[in-house]
Amino acid sequence: MKKYISLLLLLMSSTMAYSQNILKAIIRDGETNQPLIGATASVKGTSIGASTDASGTVELRNIPDGRQIIRFSYVGYQDRLDTLTFPLAQTTPLVVQLEPGGEELEEVVISTTRSSRTIQDIPTRIEAITLEELGEKGNMKPGDIRMLLSESTGIQTQQTSATSASATIRIQGLDGRYTQILENGFPLYSGFASGLSIMQIPPLNLYQVEVIKGSSSTLYGGGAIAGLVNLITKKPTEAGELSFMANVTSAGGLDLSSFYGKRFGKFGVTAFASRNSNRAYDPADLGLSAIPEFQRYTLNPKLYYYPSERTQLYLGFNATQEDRLGGDLRYLDGGQGDFYFEQNNTSRLSTQFNLEHKLSDQSLLSVKNSVSFFNRDIAVRAYDFSGKQVSSFSEVAYNHNSDNSDWVIGANLWTDKFTEQNADAVGARNYDNTIVGAFAQNTFTPANWFVLESGLRTDYVMPAPAKKVEGLFVLPRISALFRISERLSSRIGGGMGYKTPTIFTQEAENLTFRNILPLNASLVEAETSIGGNADFNYNTLIGEHVTFSINHMFYYTYLDNPLILTFRPDNFYEFRNASGYVDTKGVETNMKFGYEWVKLFLGYTHTDARQHYNGTVTPMPLTPKHRVNTVLMLEKEDNFRIGLEAYYFSQQRLTNGGTGQDYWINGIMIEKMFERFSLFLNFENIFDTRQSRFGSIYTGSINRPEFNEIYAPVDGRVINGGIKLNLL
C-alpha cells in the first residue's frame, strides 16, 4: 500500500511541476511601439519557445510552475530577460518592448539619395561603409581608399601601371571610367583627374562611404553607368574630435594623418592634414619598382557657419600635391643612362561651398558649388604628356518631405576644360565641355510594405556628340522596395545612363597617352546604357544567440556604342565607337553571421561581362568570373579587434587572348584599444601572392620593357603597423 501511495505522490508532483501554464505576450518596438513579427520568446533552460505572429503576439505552453526566466529577442534588438513566477496572477497578455541595439537595425542615414531616410527605407540599393568599418580598413591601408572599396563584392580596383601603381575602380565588370566618385555629393575626381584619384584619397577624415551599383543618373548625371561612390567626410560636433594616426610599412611606406573637428556655437571647423610617402619597393628583385617612390601632402580645412536653427553652410578647401616616380631602380637611385621610368607629378586645388536653408519643417533649399584645378605631368623616356584641367559644378535643389512622399527637384551645371601643355605632332587633345541638367525624384510610400522611387533627368551636352540632336539626353530611373515581412525584403530597380566621349580611359592611361590622336566629339557618339538589378534581403535568429542575414542580388547592364582605342596603320591610336555592345550580368551574395563578439562575413560575386563586337563575342578582359570574400572578425568594443581575411579571384582573360592565373589573397589585422590610443598591426597578402610569381610582368629588355596586363598584385606581402591617438 505504501508503494502505491509513493507512486501516486510522485505522479502528482510530476504533474504539478509540469502543469499546463501558458504565457501570452505581445512584443513591440520600444521606440515606435510597432509589433515585431517573428520575434522569439523562450523559457531559459528548456526547449519551450515560439515566434510572434503578424500582430506581434506569441504564446508559450507547458511552462513549469515556479520561477522561470523568459528571454525575448529579435534580430537587431537588445535581448530582454524577465523573471516570472508561474502560475501567473495576470490573465491579460504581457506587453514586452524591445530596444534597438543590434547592428542589423543600426540607423544608417543615407545622404546620396537626398531623402534623409535610413538605409532600411530607401528603394535604391545602397551599401554603406560605416565609421567602424572605415576604422578597420584604415588600419590596413591608411594612405588611400583602395582597400575599403576593393574588399566589397562586385567592386574591383584595377591597377593600370606596373611601376607607378595607378588604379581605377571597376563595378560589376565595367571599366573604371563608368564609375563616378563624389565627395559629399561633389564630382571632384573625373576626367584627367581620375587616373590617380583613389590613390590620393586618405580615409582618416571619412565618416561614411555610400556605394550605389548600377545606373545612378537622376541626381548626379549620366556618367554613373556602373555606379557611384560617395565619400562622406566628418562634420564638427559639440564634443569635438582630435585624432592622429602614424603608420609604417615593411615596403618603406610612412603615413602621418591628423583630423580636428569641433563646433563652437554658431561656428564649426574641421581640418584634415596628411603626409604619405613610400620608398621604391621591388619585392621580386626585378630591378623595377612594384611600389613607386612618392611623396604626397594633403590639406582639407572646412569652416561651418550656423546662423540659425534653419540655416547652415560650409566653405571647404582641398589641396593635394604629389610627386610619384617609378621604373628602373637604377634611375630612381640617381643613375645616369638610358633607363626606363614613369614620373607622375600632380597638384589638385578645389573649393566646396554648400548652403542649406529650411523653408519649413518639411522643405529644404540647398545651393552648392565647387571649382577644381588639376595639373598633371606624366613623363616617360623621350615623351612627356602634361595638361591642366579646370572644372566646376553648381547646383540648386529643393527638397519637400511629407508623411508618405519625398520630392527632390533641382538643376545643375558642369563645366570641364582640359588644356594640353607642349602638344606634340598629333596635336593638342584639348576639350571644353558644358552640361546643363535638370532633375526630379519622388519617393512615395503608399503602404508600409511598399516604397516607390522614380526619377527623371534631362541633360543638355555641349558640344553635342555625333548623332545626338542638340546634345539632349533623357534619363529615367525607377526603384521599388517591398517589405514582404519583418525579416524579408526585396528591391528592384533600373535606369539609363550615358558617358560623353573622352580620351581619359584605362587603355589611354596604359599608353601614357602617347601617339593617341585628338578626339573629335562631333564625330564620336556618346556611350549609352540601360541596366537594372533586383535583390532579396533576409535576416533571422539561429537559435537564441546567432544572428544571420543574407543579401542576394541579380544585375544586368547593356552598354551601347562603347568607345574603344584602335591602332591605325600609321602607328597612331584613335578612339572609335565599336560596332556592337558590351553587356555584363551576374549575381552578388553577401552573408553575415554574428555571435556575441564574433562576426563572419561571406561574399560571392559571379560576373559574366562580354564584348559583342563585329559579330564576335569575347569575355571582357581583366574580369574574374568568380570571386569569393571571407572575413572573420573578433571584436570586443573598446578592447580589441582581430580580423582574418581571405579573397579568391578566378582566372581572367587577357586582351591578347591569354589567361591570367587564379589566386588567393590572405591577411590578418590586429588592433588593441586603450582609453586614448590604440595600436594596430596588419599582415596584408601574408602568403606573398604576386603576379611575378606566375610569370614575367614584362617582355623585352629592362631598359625598354613592354609590360603585360596587371591582373594580380605586384607588391606582394606587406606588413604595416602603427598607432592611433584620440585626444578629445
Side-chain angles (χ1 to χ4, degrees), residues 423-561:
D424 59 13
V426 302
R429 274 71 61 96
N430 299 346
Y431 66 77
D432 190 353
N433 297 335
T434 300
I435 302 176
V436 180
F439 59 87
Q441 176 178 280
N442 175 255
T443 307
F444 180 51
T445 310
N448 289 334
W449 58 271
F450 179 65
V451 185
L452 179 68
E453 188 171 83
S454 55
L456 180 67
R457 179 180 194 88
T458 301
D459 277 356
Y460 178 53
V461 178
M462 298 173 287
K467 298 183 180 180
K468 195 66 183 174
V469 178
E470 300 298 332
L472 195 65
F473 293 86
V474 180
L475 308 172
R477 190 182 70 87
I478 191 168
S479 299
L481 166 63
F482 301 89
R483 294 190 182 94
I484 302 169
S485 71
E486 286 293 323
R487 294 178 181 266
L488 178 63
S489 63
S490 175
R491 288 176 171 87
I492 300 176
M496 300 175 65
Y498 74 95
K499 178 69 176 177
T500 54
T502 175
I503 69 166
F504 298 115
T505 68
Q506 180 178 321
E507 296 90 345
E509 184 87 23
N510 291 342
L511 296 171
T512 61
F513 305 97
R514 193 171 192 171
N515 294 329
I516 297 177
L517 295 173
L519 189 152
N520 189 335
S522 63
L523 299 178
V524 180
E525 297 181 56
E527 301 170 274
T528 58
S529 73
I530 184 169
N533 55 59
D535 82 331
F536 296 90
N537 190 77
Y538 179 73
N539 62 73
T540 188
L541 201 64
I542 301 175
E544 294 185 3
H545 305 287
V546 179
T547 61
F548 169 74
S549 66
I550 182 171
N551 180 273
H552 185 72
M553 181 178 72
F554 305 88
Y555 63 85
Y556 178 82
T557 300
Y558 176 95
L559 178 67
D560 201 12
N561 303 319

Side-chain angles (χ1 to χ4, degrees), residues 339-482:
F339 301 131
Y340 169 81
F341 69 92
E342 181 180 341
Q343 185 170 13
N344 277 273
N345 295 335
T346 60
S347 61
R348 184 197 309 270
L349 298 174
S350 64
T351 62
Q352 301 95 45
F353 170 81
N354 188 81
L355 169 66
E356 294 182 353
H357 176 67
K358 287 186 177 181
L359 302 174
S360 66
D361 291 340
Q362 292 79 34
S363 302
L364 175 71
L365 179 68
S366 64
V367 179
K368 59 174 58 177
N369 171 265
S370 69
V371 180
S372 180
F373 304 88
F374 180 77
N375 297 340
R376 182 181 178 191
D377 180 65
I378 308 172
V380 294
R381 185 183 48 234
Y383 181 72
D384 184 277
F385 178 80
S386 62
K388 296 183 178 181
Q389 179 184 3
V390 180
S391 58
S392 70
F393 173 75
S394 302
E395 179 185 277
V396 177
Y398 171 76
N399 292 52
H400 181 79
N401 303 325
S402 60
D403 292 339
N404 62 357
S405 182
D406 299 341
W407 279 96
V408 184
I409 302 172
N412 37 38
L413 169 69
W414 286 270
T415 66
D416 188 3
K417 182 178 181 179
F418 172 75
T419 305
E420 184 176 353
Q421 310 295 309
N422 305 317
D424 59 13
V426 302
R429 274 71 61 96
N430 299 346
Y431 66 77
D432 190 353
N433 297 335
T434 300
I435 302 176
V436 180
F439 59 87
Q441 176 178 280
N442 175 255
T443 307
F444 180 51
T445 310
N448 289 334
W449 58 271
F450 179 65
V451 185
L452 179 68
E453 188 171 83
S454 55
L456 180 67
R457 179 180 194 88
T458 301
D459 277 356
Y460 178 53
V461 178
M462 298 173 287
K467 298 183 180 180
K468 195 66 183 174
V469 178
E470 300 298 332
L472 195 65
F473 293 86
V474 180
L475 308 172
R477 190 182 70 87
I478 191 168
S479 299
L481 166 63
F482 301 89

Side-chain angles (χ1 to χ4, degrees), residues 571-592:
N571 294 326
F572 288 104
Y573 292 89
E574 181 181 23
F575 279 103
R576 297 177 182 173
N577 293 109
S579 177
Y581 64 93
V582 170
D583 68 350
T584 174
K585 55 185 178 290
V587 298
E588 293 180 25
T589 303
N590 290 280
M591 292 186 290
K592 179 180 177 181

Side-chain angles (χ1 to χ4, degrees), residues 90-119:
Q90 178 179 335
T91 58
T92 58
L94 179 67
V95 177
V96 178
Q97 292 187 324
L98 298 183
E99 297 299 325
E103 291 188 25
E104 297 299 326
L105 292 183
E106 178 186 358
E107 186 175 81
V108 178
V109 178
I110 298 298
S111 63
T112 301
T113 57
R114 308 192 195 182
S115 61
S116 298
R117 289 173 174 243
T118 62
I119 196 169

Side-chain angles (χ1 to χ4, degrees), residues 112-279:
T112 301
T113 57
R114 308 192 195 182
S115 61
S116 298
R117 289 173 174 243
T118 62
I119 196 169
Q120 290 87 6
D121 296 328
I122 294 177
T124 299
R125 186 182 187 274
I126 297 180
E127 299 176 20
I129 304 174
T130 59
L131 190 62
E132 179 183 0
E133 295 175 272
L134 290 173
E136 298 169 6
K137 303 304 180 186
N139 292 350
M140 303 174 189
K141 198 72 175 176
D144 57 64
I145 63 171
R146 276 182 302 168
M147 187 68 69
L148 65 92
L149 294 174
S150 62
E151 296 186 352
S152 299
T153 56
I155 300 180
Q156 178 185 359
T157 55
Q158 181 64 54
Q159 186 165 332
T160 58
S161 171
T163 56
S164 71
S166 57
T168 62
I169 300 172
R170 302 181 65 187
I171 295 180
Q172 296 176 347
L174 290 173
D175 191 83
R177 69 178 184 269
Y178 305 118
T179 298
Q180 198 171 52
I181 302 179
L182 311 171
E183 184 177 293
N184 300 315
F186 291 100
L188 304 178
Y189 308 100
S190 60
F192 193 31
S194 62
L196 289 170
S197 59
I198 65 170
M199 305 293 298
Q200 298 179 332
I201 306 173
L204 184 62
N205 70 327
L206 296 181
Y207 172 77
Q208 189 163 285
V209 176
E210 299 169 8
V211 180
I212 299 179
K213 298 172 183 175
S215 179
S216 308
S217 58
T218 301
L219 299 178
Y220 299 103
I225 288 175
L228 67 84
V229 178
N230 194 7
L231 309 171
I232 312 299
T233 57
K234 296 176 181 178
K235 295 182 179 180
T237 61
E238 297 284 354
E241 177 183 350
L242 177 60
S243 57
F244 299 89
M245 172 185 278
N247 173 72
V248 294
T249 78
S250 61
L254 173 64
D255 303 289
L256 302 172
S257 302
S258 62
F259 175 82
Y260 174 74
K262 188 171 178 58
R263 180 170 175 176
F264 306 90
K266 291 188 175 184
F267 291 92
V269 64
T270 63
F272 171 75
S274 70
R275 180 191 182 277
N276 308 95
S277 63
N278 215 103
R279 299 194 306 270

